[in-house]
Amino acid sequence: MGRVAKFDRDKAIEKVMYELWQKGYEACSVKSLSETLEITRSSFYHAFGSREALFKEALTKYFEQSPAKAFNEGNKQTPIKALFTDTFKHICSVVASANSLKGCMLVNCTSELANIHPDLSPYISDANKSIMAQFEYLVNCGKERKEITEHANTKALALILQNLLNGIYMMSKVPGNEDNLWLMAEQTLKSVDLYEG
Amino acid sequence: MGRVAKFDRDKAIEKVMYELWQKGYEACSVKSLSETLEITRSSFYHAFGSREALFKEALTKYFEQSPAKAFNEGNKQTPIKALFTDTFKHICSVVASANSLKGCMLVNCTSELANIHPDLSPYISDANKSIMAQFEYLVNCGKERKEITEHANTKALALILQNLLNGIYMMSKVPGNEDNLWLMAEQTLKSVDLYEG
DNA sequence: TAAATAGTGTACATGAATGTACAATATAGA
DNA sequence: TCTATATTGTACATTCATGTACACTATTTA
């Protein structure tokens, strides 16, 4: 079926993910991405269509490797407070580790592109909204499991959780040691009674 | 003393502040900023030295006009819980208003430039750290005033407050109606016993 | 082995962006 | 009015960046 590509498409997307994560969208020109992948721009357009299209693939890959993806595996059978506690603890540790890229690709892209980039802005908004929806779902699971009181405000808790998630990544860029990050996360979870340790 | 500038330097910085706030640092080239100001690049370099230098002036102006600057005016004579409650409420309302620029210039620039831009990165880190320090100071004032219990963890509270501040701006970019923002802020303040209403 | 096909590279035309050098301009004060 | 000087504009030499057209190359399968 014709000539085979001289590069591994999947590995290429991973490389691009790291570039975008680190440098942001606008800083990654087609020229610079092509040089990173050691292909010509022509091959780039042929393989990926456009920078926007590749961005979407890279963001998908980002979600797949994120320590926050554990939140997506929770359901009515999951001990919810333990899921929150363990996952946030794990995120703090991953994010603060020396060789980790700082910040969250989604947070970075949200501040760079939301309400700015005509094509990508809605895509990014949707990604944020689906995280929010997942937290609401998890809180509701906790209510069904009687771990969380029926009277708790689901939306408020989901907002606080999403804010905590974003904030851990954000703070990892500035003072950013694991102790501070976990101090914030632990106290937040405790103060809304979602901690279990 | 020579020819007078055809533009108002202070208004120019304000214009640049809005540009940077909205579009981010890299998206504001010297060319585009010069066009916005209706001066040539030559005049730009003459008047401001460099894009980096102007950025710093613009960020200073941003702080001066931010609704969060009320936090800087708190001291041992200030009712601290009321300060937190009122200021966060005000921020939610300002940020969600239709004609407001979305997001926080500092948050945007932190995700874009921290750990990336050699010259501006330390500058931005310092700005974040001084906000953190101010929150610690306010919490300590609250302790002296006996509004906040002596046993509270100052650092943890300051982290939570800074995270809330960042988060309000961040969320204003996505679902972003005032009700949601305030729901998050109110519940956060209540859950750490810094609410007074 | 030949054709079909998928991937690659060169080239083009164009505009954005940078920073500096030097000449032109306008104005305040002597 | 003259002159010192702050400000402005033109020009230059480069590099980055975009997207497409078309020719070239390698590989599969009929």
Side-chain angles (χ1 to χ4, degrees), chain A residues 13-69:
Chain A
I13 292 171
E14 195 180 1
K15 271 192 192 172
V16 168
M17 175 193 81
Y18 284 118
E19 289 285 305
L20 290 166
W21 186 355
Q22 202 160 22
K23 301 181 182 168
Y25 182 74
E26 290 303 342
C28 291
S29 64
V30 172
K31 178 175 156 60
S32 79
L33 290 176
S34 302
E35 282 163 0
T36 300
L37 299 179
E38 296 177 287
I39 60 176
T40 61
R41 284 184 299 120
S42 178
S43 298
F44 180 97
Y45 284 111
H46 184 84
F48 305 111
S50 67
R51 190 158 125 244
E52 286 80 10
L54 179 52
F55 170 85
K56 293 178 185 176
E57 295 196 63
L59 190 59
T60 300
K61 186 164 281 288
Y62 174 78
F63 291 139
E64 284 163 10
Q65 63 75 58
S66 164
K69 74 168 190 300

Side-chain angles (χ1 to χ4, degrees), chain A residues 177-191:
Chain A
N177 63 72
E178 185 174 347
D179 290 345
N180 273 348
L181 298 179
W182 177 238
L183 179 60
M184 174 174 81
E186 186 186 25
Q187 291 278 8
T188 299
L189 290 175
K190 282 180 177 169
S191 68

Side-chain angles (χ1 to χ4, degrees), chain A residues 47-99:
Chain A
F48 305 111
S50 67
R51 190 158 125 244
E52 286 80 10
L54 179 52
F55 170 85
K56 293 178 185 176
E57 295 196 63
L59 190 59
T60 300
K61 186 164 281 288
Y62 174 78
F63 291 139
E64 284 163 10
Q65 63 75 58
S66 164
K69 74 168 190 300
F71 290 129
N72 291 317
E73 280 138 31
N75 55 46
K76 288 163 194 163
Q77 276 69 55
T78 317
I80 293 297
K81 290 186 185 182
L83 175 68
F84 287 140
T85 305
D86 296 346
T87 306
F88 276 115
K89 176 93 176 125
H90 182 225
I91 291 170
C92 288
S93 136
V94 168
V95 151
S97 75
N99 56 351

Side-chain angles (χ1 to χ4, degrees), chain A residues 103-191:
Chain A
C104 167
M105 181 170 163
L106 181 60
V107 171
N108 292 350
C109 294
T110 301
S111 34
E112 184 179 359
L113 302 172
N115 303 315
I116 300 280
H117 193 290
D119 179 24
L120 296 177
S121 178
Y123 189 80
I124 286 173
S125 294
D126 286 352
N128 279 293
K129 282 175 193 160
S130 79
I131 292 172
M132 179 72 187
Q134 179 64 16
F135 279 128
E136 288 193 43
Y137 169 74
L138 291 176
V139 170
N140 280 326
C141 290
K143 285 186 175 182
E144 281 197 36
R145 292 170 54 79
K146 310 286 181 198
E147 275 191 71
I148 299 172
T149 167
E150 203 58 47
H151 306 98
N153 186 324
T154 301
K155 183 147 217 168
L157 287 176
L159 285 163
I160 287 171
L161 290 165
Q162 175 151 26
N163 187 41
L164 177 59
L165 179 59
N166 290 343
I168 290 169
Y169 283 107
M170 189 74 200
M171 292 225 173
S172 76
K173 303 192 105 182
V174 186
N177 63 72
E178 185 174 347
D179 290 345
N180 273 348
L181 298 179
W182 177 238
L183 179 60
M184 174 174 81
E186 186 186 25
Q187 291 278 8
T188 299
L189 290 175
K190 282 180 177 169
S191 68

